[in-house]
C-alpha cells in the first residue's frame, strides 16, 4: 500500500510540475508572439517527451533549429546527429482526430555554412555508379544571404570553381507524435504524421496540414536545409540550422479528411504520399489531392478526371530514405474556373 501511495503521489507531482513548467495562457487572452530558445532536442517524433512549450492556436512561435548533425548556429555540438528536432510543442485544444494547420511565417538562415555529402543514393542511379560512394566524403558549403547564393568551400573541383546555386531555405522535418505501437518514430522517417518530408516547398509562407493522433498533437520541427534538389539524391541536402517562425490553427475533426500530410502555398495545393513502393506512393498522393478537390470544389469523380488528367503535376520529393515520397500537386491558377464551397 505504501508503494502504491508513493506511485500516486509521484504522478500527481509530475502533473503539477508539467502545469507550472509549461508556459500557458488563458483562452480569453489575445494571440501572442512567443520567443522560444530550445535547450534540448529530440531524435524522435514522440509522445513520450516532455513538451518544451505549450501554445494556443493563433500564437506565433519564433524559434530555431540545429542541423542534421546536431550543430547549432554557433558551431556548437548540441545533440547527436540524425535530424535532432526542436519541440515538442503542445497545442492546446488539439485533440485526436483534428487537423493541425502550421503556417511557416518566416524561415531564415542563421549561419553562413552548410554541409552535404559527395555521393549518390542507391535509388538514383545504376549500381556501377552509386557503389563508387561506399564511404561518402563530407563537403562544406558557404552560404551568403546577401547575394542569395551558396558556393562550395572545397576548391578541389576543377570545374566547379565558379559554380553557385540559389539559396532556398526550408524545413526538412515537420511532424507530430505518430500513432504507432510506442507512439514514437525516429526522425529519419516520414509517414501520415509528417516527419522527415525533405520537400523543398515546406518553406516560408507555406501551410502544412497534419492529422492529429494525440491530444496536444506534440509538434516538432527540424532538419534545416539551405537548398535541396528533388529526391535528396546525395543522401543529404545543404544541411544547416535555421531561424523559424510559425503559427498554428486547429481544424476540428470531421472536416477535412486528411490522412497524409498536405501543403499549400501561393502557387500550389499539394498532397503527399509515402510508401516503400513508388506505385503506392503515387496512389496515396493522388488520392489525397482528389479528396481535397472534391471537398473544396464538390467535384464528382468523373469531373475530377478532367481536372487532374489535364493539370496534375508530380514531384518525387524523397528517394534517399527507406520509403519513397511523392507529391501530387495542382496550380492554384488552374482552379480559378471552379467554384470553391
Amino acid at each position: 500500500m505504501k508503494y502504491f501511495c508513493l506511485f500516486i503521489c509521484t504522478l500527481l507531482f509530475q502533473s503539477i510540475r508539467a502545469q507550472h513548467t509549461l508556459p500557458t495562457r488563458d483562452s480569453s487572452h489575445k494571440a501572442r508572439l512567443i520567443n522560444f530558445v530550445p535547450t534540448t532536442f529530440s531524435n524522435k517524433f514522440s509522445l513520450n517527451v516532455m513538451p518544451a512549450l505549450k501554445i494556443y492556436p493563433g500564437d506565433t512561435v519564433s524559434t530555431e533549429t540545429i542541423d542534421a548533425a546536431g550543430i547549432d548556429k554557433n558551431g556548437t555540438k548540441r545533440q547527436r546527429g540524425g535530424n535532432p528536432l526542436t519541440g515538442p510543442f503542445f497545442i492546446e485544444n488539439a485533440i485526436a482526430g483534428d487537423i493541425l494547420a502550421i503556417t511557416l511565417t518566416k524561415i531564415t538562415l542563421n549561419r553562413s555554412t552548410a554541409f552535404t555529402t559527395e555521393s549518390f543514393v542507391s535509388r538514383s542511379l545504376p549500381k556501377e555508379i552509386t557503389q563508387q560512394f561506399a564511404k561518402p566524403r563530407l563537403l562544406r558549403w558557404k552560404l551568403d544571404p546577401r547575394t542569395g547564393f551558396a558556393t562550395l568551400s572545397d576548391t578541389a573541383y576543377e570545374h566547379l570553381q565558379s559554380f553557385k546555386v540559389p539559396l532556398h531555405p526550408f524545413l526538412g522535418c515537420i511532424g507530430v507524435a505518430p500513432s504507432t505501437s510506442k507512439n514514437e518514430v525516429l526522425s529519419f522517417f516520414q509517414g501520415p504524421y509528417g516527419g522527415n518530408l525533405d520537400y523543398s516547398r515546406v518553406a516560408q509562407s507555406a501551410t502544412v496540414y497534419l492529422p492529429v493522433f494525440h491530444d496536444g498533437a506534440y509538434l516538432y520541427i527540424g532538419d534545416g536545409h539551405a537548398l535541396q534538389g528533388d529526391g535528396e539524391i546525395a543522401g543529404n541536402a545543404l544541411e544547416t540550422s535555421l531561424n523559424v517562425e510559425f503559427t498554428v490553427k486547429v481544424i476540428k475533426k470531421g472536416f477535412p479528411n486528411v490522412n497524409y500530410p498536405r501543403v499549400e502555398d501561393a502557387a500550389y495545393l499539394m498532397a503527399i504520399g509515402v510508401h516503400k513502393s513508388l506505385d503506392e506512393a503515387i496512389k496515396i498522393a493522388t488520392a489525397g489531392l482528389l479528396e481535397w478537390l472534391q471537398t473544396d470544389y464538390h467535384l464528382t469523380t468523373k469531373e475530377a478526371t478532367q481536372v487532374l488528367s489535364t493539370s496534375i503535376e508530380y514531384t518525387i520529393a524523397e528517394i534517399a530514405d527507406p520509403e519513397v515520397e511523392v507529391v501530387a500537386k495542382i496550380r492554384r491558377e488552374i482552379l480559378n474556373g471552379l467554384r470553391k464551397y
Side-chain angles (χ1 to χ4, degrees):
M1 186 67 179
K2 177 180 69 175
Y3 295 107
F4 175 78
C5 292
L6 180 61
F7 173 72
I8 295 299
C9 290
T10 301
L11 289 179
L12 288 171
F13 172 77
Q14 290 175 342
S15 175
I16 293 168
R17 186 182 69 169
Q19 292 173 16
H20 285 278
T21 58
L22 295 178
T24 62
R25 70 173 176 83
D26 185 85
S27 59
S28 64
H29 292 179
K30 292 183 178 180
R32 59 183 179 171
L33 173 63
I34 304 169
N35 292 305
F36 173 69
V37 179
T39 57
T40 60
F41 303 89
S42 172
N43 289 82
K44 298 177 181 180
F45 294 93
S46 177
L47 186 67
N48 307 317
V49 177
M50 181 78 169
L53 182 70
K54 182 180 286 188
I55 62 176
Y56 280 75
D59 284 344
T60 298
V61 177
S62 180
T63 188
E64 61 192 53
T65 69
I66 57 179
D67 72 19
I71 297 170
D72 69 10
K73 61 186 178 184
N74 300 313
T76 302
K77 182 80 170 179
R78 300 284 299 279
Q79 178 79 356
R80 64 183 176 88
N83 298 341
L85 305 168
T86 300
F89 301 95
F90 185 97
I91 316 301
E92 283 284 4
N93 302 326
I95 63 173
D98 289 344
I99 303 301
L100 194 62
I102 310 104
T103 298
L104 302 169
T105 51
K106 188 179 294 185
I107 297 181
T108 55
L109 300 170
N110 60 18
R111 74 186 204 208
S112 61
T113 60
F115 74 87
T116 190
T117 40
E118 182 186 67
S119 60
F120 287 123
V121 299
S122 60
R123 282 197 184 101
S124 65
L125 286 163
K127 186 176 180 180
E128 57 266 26
I129 297 176
T130 60
Q131 67 185 4
Q132 297 176 34
F133 303 101
K135 295 181 179 180
R137 188 162 73 99
L138 201 67
L139 299 179
R140 302 290 178 181
W141 283 69
K142 297 177 184 177
L143 311 178
D144 189 346
R146 294 173 303 168
T147 64
F149 286 94
T151 55
L152 268 165
S153 298
D154 194 318
T155 59
Y157 297 97
E158 177 186 354
H159 302 105
L160 299 181
Q161 299 301 311
S162 299
F163 180 67
K164 61 181 181 180
V165 288
L167 294 168
H168 178 72
F170 71 96
L171 282 174
C173 287
I174 182 167
V176 297
S179 177
T180 62
S181 59
K182 295 183 179 180
N183 296 319
E184 64 181 22
V185 65
L186 289 173
S187 52
F188 286 118
F189 299 100
Q190 63 280 104
Y193 55 89
N196 187 25
L197 297 178
D198 289 330
Y199 179 41
S200 61
R201 297 196 78 93
V202 181
Q204 182 169 300
S205 300
T207 297
V208 180
Y209 297 93
L210 298 172
V212 175
F213 300 102
H214 307 280
D215 293 356
Y218 284 64
L219 173 67
Y220 296 82
I221 61 171
D223 189 25
H225 294 168
L227 180 67
Q228 178 202 292
D230 293 338
E232 200 178 27
I233 67 172
N236 285 287
L238 296 190
E239 308 286 347
T240 192
S241 56
L242 295 174
N243 289 332
V244 180
E245 185 179 284
F246 68 89
T247 186
V248 298
K249 175 183 177 183
V250 175
I251 303 171
K252 300 314 290 181
K253 59 183 177 180
F255 182 86
N257 181 28
V258 175
N259 298 316
Y260 270 79
R262 296 181 186 176
V263 184
E264 66 174 324
D265 58 20
Y268 284 101
L269 301 185
M270 297 159 273
I272 292 174
V274 176
H275 200 275
K276 291 186 181 299
S277 159
L278 175 61
D279 287 354
E280 291 303 316
I282 291 172
K283 291 176 183 178
I284 293 168
T286 308
L289 187 58
L290 171 62
E291 198 279 337
W292 198 347
L293 295 182
Q294 289 185 305
T295 297
D296 282 7
Y297 298 95
H298 290 193
L299 299 179
T300 67
T301 305
K302 291 180 179 179
E303 290 170 336
T305 65
Q306 301 309 292
V307 176
L308 290 176
S309 66
T310 58
S311 305
I312 196 169
E313 300 176 36
Y314 289 103
T315 296
I316 301 177
E318 180 58 74
I319 60 173
D321 294 333
E323 297 191 326
V324 177
E325 180 185 334
V326 172
V327 181
K329 58 189 181 181
I330 192 166
R331 290 187 179 272
R332 285 184 175 277
E333 61 186 7
I334 294 294
L335 304 174
N336 288 340
L338 301 177
R339 178 185 175 188
K340 188 173 182 180
Y341 289 84

